[in-house]
Amino acid sequence: MEKKERGLYIKSGKVLQAAKKRALILAKPGKSLLELAEQIEKFIESEGGFPAFPVNLSANNTAAHFTPSMNDTGVVGESDVLKIDIGVHIDGYITDSALTVDFSGEHGKMLEAADNALASALSVAKNNANIGKIGEAIESAINGRKGSIRSSASDGRP
């Protein structure tokens, strides 16, 4: 990779990290999903980047990559689990990341399991890594936590 390309990826990544921090500040129960998406996108532009795709805001059982439309009336709920997926590009060099916010604090074990699975995947994801080994690391991390996740949802909630 050329030095210029690397620099653009690094700059894009820095804008992305700042946008994620800003999203955590902006995402609050009662906030309009459309307003939240627009504010994050404007923040990205204020930092010298451009949205690589519309900000995705997927709450609860809504499939990933949901983007509120112009007439969307949805708001962040008090007990929502909200995935915020953000992409930034600078001159076409894209960085992409997501974060999950548990407003009620009731789904901490599930989020911890996902974080542990990611850490396990990253620990084996090296140059020329076998994709199957990465999948095995994720599966092992999740299977090792099944009991603790299931017990946190024994009241019928996901």
Side-chain angles (χ1 to χ4, degrees):
M1 181 181 307
E2 299 294 322
K3 185 176 181 178
K4 179 183 177 187
E5 293 170 327
R6 190 174 323 114
L8 290 168
Y9 277 124
I10 290 169
K11 184 176 178 183
S12 179
K14 287 180 179 180
V15 172
L16 175 62
Q17 290 305 311
K20 287 174 63 176
K21 288 178 183 176
R22 185 71 178 157
L24 282 173
I25 293 167
L26 295 170
K28 302 287 182 219
K31 173 82 114 189
S32 155
L33 292 174
L34 180 59
E35 180 182 4
L36 177 57
E38 289 175 338
Q39 287 178 337
I40 295 168
E41 290 170 1
K42 286 178 184 168
F43 178 81
I44 291 168
E45 292 174 4
S46 76
E47 294 292 305
F50 297 94
F53 50 82
V55 169
N56 299 158
L57 301 171
S58 306
N60 306 321
N61 62 347
T62 301
H65 303 121
F66 174 80
T67 301
S69 63
M70 292 305 292
N71 58 356
D72 193 298
T73 59
V75 297
V76 178
E78 294 279 338
S79 61
D80 282 353
V81 174
L82 181 67
K83 183 184 83 103
I84 305 170
D85 191 353
I86 303 169
V88 172
H89 86 85
I90 296 179
D91 293 340
Y93 293 87
I94 298 171
T95 53
D96 175 10
S97 185
L99 59 124
T100 304
V101 183
D102 175 12
F103 293 101
S104 69
E106 295 176 11
H107 304 284
K109 289 183 179 182
M110 178 180 65
L111 297 182
E112 184 179 318
D115 286 342
N116 288 341
L118 175 60
S120 293
L122 292 173
S123 73
V124 297
K126 310 254 187 279
N127 193 22
N128 294 321
N130 178 301
I131 193 77
K133 296 291 182 194
I134 297 170
E136 287 173 12
I138 294 168
E139 183 177 9
S140 178
I142 294 297
N143 284 339
R145 298 191 51 96
K146 276 186 179 176
S148 67
I149 296 168
R150 203 172 290 131
S151 65
S152 72
S154 61
D155 61 0
R157 290 182 294 223

